[in-house]
């Protein structure tokens, strides 16, 4: 039997974070087949196992040392941390990095007809929520008293059926709130997905696997935010062209065969490249402006 240590990563089995998490791991070069029903998926080309569970179980699995790493929303993480602190259960973990997906806000929302006059107007009201500890902390910090009822899903329906006055739930576009006759009145917590690690240090073998994986994760994230830009520019406008480029990378300037007046400029833009910038480049006399996605980056 092969006893080589394997790094165990917990991810959401199905739901809002599962596709992005799978995509990230695949872009890091992990060959994993999660199409089947297996809850512990073996990565074929690296000593890594992926444990596919409910999002709400991930922080506990990492804090209890069952999994070495986990990919989970900050809201779920913080809620579990607060719940464990209240019960005196060990709740230590390390946030290895914040990831660039899973962005949402945890917000208070009231029926459209409610006259919101600041947080004090919510005093004494009852809110349906999946994350009571986050809500309680917010209420305490803001000097209001609210009651809550716990709902694991379909939270938006609570005010309409008389279960609560309002809700405190995750929002990204606000379309679900609107469809249910609710309006967002205050943001309680801003969340993104995070890669977390158990607090206790890893064995040297597992640390070595993580040391290979982590630069790949950073590389995938950086590549997603970056673009490779190629254009032809008038030779005497190179300085102006460079100053228009988003990000801090120095451009590569190359001669163009048969042209004395024009050069090719290549640059990696680490910030958003807007249409307006392309128009400004064109106005400087640039042409053949190409903006291309980057698949991987390192160094
Ligand atoms: P599970 O059922 O797996 O325990 P869940 O019910 O929280 O978890 P999802 O609704 O798939 O499952 O949400 C997973 C995570 O996705 C949330 O905890 C949050 O971090 C993130 N997320 C991002 N955008 C949203 C959104 N608009 N609504 C809900 N969650 C969002």
């Amino acid at each position: 039997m092969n006893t080589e240590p394997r790094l165990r990563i917990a991810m959401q089995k199905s739901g809002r974070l599962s596709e992005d998490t799978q995509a990230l791991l695949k872009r890091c070069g992990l060959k994993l087949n999660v199409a089947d029903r297996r809850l512990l998926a073996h990565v074929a080309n690296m000593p890594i196992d992926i444990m596919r569970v409910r999002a709400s179980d991930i922080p506990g699995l990492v804090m209890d040392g069952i999994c070495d790493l986990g990919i989970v929303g900050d809201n779920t993480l913080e809620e579990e941390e607060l719940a464990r602190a209240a019960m005196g259960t060990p709740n230590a973990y390390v946030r290895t990095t914040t990831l660039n997906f899973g962005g949402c806000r945890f917000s208070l929302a009231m029926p459209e007809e409610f006259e919101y006059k600041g947080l004090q107007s919510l005093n004494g009201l009852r809110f349906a929520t999946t994350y009571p500890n986050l809500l309680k902390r917010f209420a305490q910090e803001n000097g209001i008293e609210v009651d809550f009822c716990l709902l694991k899903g379909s939270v938006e329906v609570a005010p309409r059926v008389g279960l609560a006055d309002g809700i405190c739930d995750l929002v990204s576009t606000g379309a679900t709130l609107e469809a249910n006759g609710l309006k967002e009145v205050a943001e309680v917590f801003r969340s993104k997905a995070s890669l977390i690690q158990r607090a206790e240090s890893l064995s040297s073998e597992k640390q070595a696997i993580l040391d290979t994986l982590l630069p790949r994760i950073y590389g995938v994230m950086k590549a997603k935010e970056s673009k490779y830009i190629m254009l032809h520019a008038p030779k005497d406008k190179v300085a102006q062209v460079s100053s228009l480029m988003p990000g801090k990378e120095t451009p590569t300037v190359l001669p163009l065969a048969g042209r004395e007046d024009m050069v090719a400029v290549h640059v990696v833009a680490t910030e958003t490249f807007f249409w307006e910038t392309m128009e400004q480049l064109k106005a400087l006399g640039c042409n053949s402006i190409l903006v291309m996605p980057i698949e991987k980056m390192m160094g």
Side-chain angles (χ1 to χ4, degrees), residues 228-245 249-256 261-268 273 281 284 286-292:
Y228 194 80
I229 297 160
M230 284 165 62
L231 53 88
H232 295 169
K235 214 173 193 171
D236 57 349
K237 297 278 169 49
V238 169
Q240 282 163 286
V241 167
S242 301
S243 69
L244 283 175
M245 293 299 177
E249 302 274 334
T250 323
T252 306
V253 180
L254 303 160
L256 271 178
D261 55 333
M262 299 289 279
V263 286
V265 178
H266 292 195
V267 70
V268 174
F273 194 71
L281 289 166
L284 279 176
C286 299
N287 58 40
S288 305
I289 309 169
L290 299 181
V291 180
M292 290 168 292

Side-chain angles (χ1 to χ4, degrees), residues 12-18 53-58 72-76 101-105 130-131 152-153 169-174 176 191-193:
Q12 191 186 25
K13 181 170 165 275
S14 59
R16 289 176 191 267
L17 296 181
S18 56
V53 292
R54 294 201 55 167
S56 47
D57 289 333
I58 296 174
V72 67
D74 292 334
N75 53 300
T76 310
F101 59 84
C104 58
R105 348 182 253 289
T130 311
Y131 306 97
K152 290 283 184 192
D169 201 15
L170 297 168
V171 190
S172 43
T173 61
T176 312
S191 181
K192 267 196 160 189

